[in-house]
Amino acid sequence: MESSKINVRQLFVLIVLFEHGSAVVIPLGVSAKQDVWISILLSLAIGLLLFFVYRRLFEYYPDQPLTAYLPQIVGAPLGKLLAIVYITYFLYIATRVLRDFGELLLTFAYPETPLFVLNAIMAVTVMYGVYKGIEVLARTGELFLIVLYFLAIGFVLVFVSGIVDVTQLQPMLEEGWRRVWKTVFTETLYVPFGEMIVFTMLFPYINTPTKVGRAGVVGMVLSGINLALIMAINVAVLGPDTVSRSSFPLLDTIRRVQVADFLERLDVFFMITLITGGFFKISIFFYAGIVGAANLFGISSYRRLVYPLGLLILILSVVIASNYAEHIQEGLKIVTFYLHVPLQVIIPVLLLIIAAIRRRFNQPAK
């Protein structure tokens, strides 16, 4: 681990930027149709419970990242194996988010540019930021949080332009709660709220560990409300059927804004906001992966891994799927059930139970 420290305000900023990240870009929870905002808020509530699990584990091992205390909880052989699994998971999710934003740029502005080139530009930027360290990333986040709230100004213009039709959010719970809960437990719980598991790798850098819980809860609640509002506005503008078929609902919403026959094409400004969130989400997953690898394999400086692993995620971001539709389907059908559910929910809960028992009976892992 590097010696740098960040404060609670910077942790809050990183959480907000991370939670928005790709969640404002992808069609989040659209299977719930006009009830998507309800599924997001329910997912936020359950996500907060998961965050309490992550925070409690940190309280048991306040000076160590997840990959360091896994062997202490379940023993060295299994613990190291799980650490490798989590490192791979963090790097893989960084790869997927990089692909998301490459596809967004490809669709929005650079249809003739090879995907590899677009991803390479983002990847090099991420590698440089991560090489500089967590403190530099956090300070940069403080500057760019303001950029994120260009979204708020943009949505004011969405309402002013008269394209919002709130009747498209009705009827509420048309098919009852079943569809909403299905969306929660198959989509919106894991992205972005369950992804907070990655912050178990960053908590040891906080200079006031007792305030981690407060920063996390406030950051998640703010982000969850924002995401629910964004998706509700998308549905109110585009309609539930159009949103469910759209690859980038927010972008399609912004493209419809036209005020007084001269204020239009606001999607250019929104792209700056979206790319900012994407940069921080990729950076945090990537940073967690390489710090975990350096810690597990006894490498003196994580910076030695930045460029080789950065090149790896760049290459994988292009080859993991032949097209964007396949990429999204993999995320919904495979990644959710085989990665998100066990690594975000099942394993952390089991780890907390075992850690609590060991602490109670003072039994060290073998």
Side-chain angles (χ1 to χ4, degrees):
M1 288 178 57
E2 59 176 316
S3 58
S4 301
K5 291 288 184 178
I6 62 176
N7 58 40
V8 174
R9 183 184 67 252
Q10 291 169 332
L11 174 64
F12 164 78
V13 168
L14 288 177
I15 288 172
V16 171
L17 290 169
F18 174 88
E19 289 284 278
H20 285 76
S22 59
V24 296
V25 175
I26 62 175
L28 180 67
V30 293
S31 59
K33 300 287 185 162
Q34 65 268 26
D35 298 320
V36 58
W37 62 276
I38 301 176
S39 70
I40 292 174
L41 293 178
L42 289 173
S43 298
L44 168 62
I46 301 172
L48 288 171
L49 296 178
L50 287 178
F51 176 75
F52 291 140
V53 172
Y54 308 152
R55 187 199 65 178
R56 188 60 176 166
L57 285 170
F58 167 66
E59 290 174 350
Y60 283 157
Y61 306 93
D63 300 320
Q64 302 174 59
L66 172 65
T67 52
Y69 59 70
L70 278 170
Q72 299 178 47
I73 296 176
V74 298
L78 179 57
K80 289 182 178 180
L81 177 61
L82 284 175
I84 293 172
V85 170
Y86 272 104
I87 291 166
T88 305
Y89 174 67
F90 295 147
L91 294 176
Y92 176 68
I93 300 301
T95 300
R96 292 192 61 82
V97 179
L98 180 59
R99 177 63 178 263
D100 287 334
F101 283 89
E103 293 283 359
L104 176 64
L105 288 170
L106 199 66
T107 301
F108 167 72
Y110 307 102
E112 303 300 325
T113 305
L115 178 63
F116 180 84
V117 173
L118 297 175
N119 286 5
I121 295 171
M122 176 72 90
V124 168
T125 308
V126 167
M127 285 187 277
Y128 178 77
V130 169
Y131 188 87
K132 288 297 183 180
I134 187 63
E135 186 177 1
V136 172
L137 280 175
R139 289 180 177 178
T140 305
E142 289 181 291
L143 296 175
F144 278 95
L145 183 65
I146 300 172
V147 176
L148 184 66
Y149 278 87
F150 278 136
L151 282 170
I153 299 173
F155 282 122
V156 170
L157 295 177
V158 169
F159 281 98
V160 170
S161 65
I163 59 176
V164 175
D165 180 7
V166 293
T167 61
Q168 299 202 82
L169 293 169
Q170 301 172 344
M172 188 183 298
L173 299 175
E174 181 181 15
E175 298 182 11
W177 286 97
R178 182 177 180 180
R179 184 173 67 185
V180 173
W181 283 113
K182 180 180 179 181
T183 303
V184 169
F185 289 110
T186 58
E187 298 180 41
T188 49
L189 173 59
Y190 314 109
V191 180
F193 305 111
E195 291 177 325
M196 284 293 294
I197 183 69
V198 74
F199 279 86
T200 57
M201 301 296 295
L202 303 187
F203 289 157
Y205 296 109
I206 310 304
N207 57 13
T208 50
T210 56
K211 297 182 179 179
V212 162
R214 184 187 308 171
V217 170
V218 175
M220 289 180 68
V221 169
L222 176 62
S223 301
I225 293 173
N226 286 347
L227 292 173
L229 287 173
I230 289 169
M231 288 308 300
I233 291 171
N234 287 339
V235 172
V237 172
L238 303 174
D241 292 330
T242 302
V243 167
S244 65
R245 294 193 301 267
S246 174
S247 298
F248 305 108
L250 178 59
L251 190 59
D252 291 339
T253 296
I254 300 306
R255 281 175 166 168
R256 296 196 179 192
V257 173
Q258 184 175 355
V259 180
D261 295 324
F262 78 94
L263 190 57
E264 53 186 20
R265 294 297 299 174
L266 297 177
D267 44 0
V268 174
F269 298 101
F270 272 75
M271 282 300 298
I272 298 173
T273 304
L274 299 179
I275 294 300
T276 297
F279 166 79
F280 283 98
K281 187 161 189 175
I282 299 167
S283 295
I284 290 171
F285 270 119
F286 183 53
Y287 182 84
I290 63 173
V291 166
N295 175 270
L296 182 63
F297 297 109
I299 298 173
S300 57
S301 174
Y302 78 90
R303 290 181 173 88
R304 295 172 59 183
L305 299 176
V306 170
Y307 293 109
L309 290 182
L311 179 61
L312 176 64
I313 70 165
L314 170 59
I315 295 171
L316 289 177
S317 70
V318 178
V319 303
I320 55 173
S322 58
N323 54 59
Y324 186 63
E326 181 182 323
H327 171 69
I328 291 296
Q329 281 302 110
E330 286 179 359
L332 292 174
K333 303 299 182 182
I334 300 175
V335 176
T336 295
F337 297 104
Y338 294 99
L339 293 179
H340 290 335
V341 173
L343 296 178
Q344 294 178 7
V345 182
I346 298 174
I347 292 176
V349 170
L350 291 176
L351 288 173
L352 180 59
I353 293 171
I354 295 171
I357 292 172
R358 290 192 183 282
R359 170 138 323 191
R360 183 176 179 84
F361 295 100
N362 197 25
Q363 295 179 355
K366 297 181 180 180

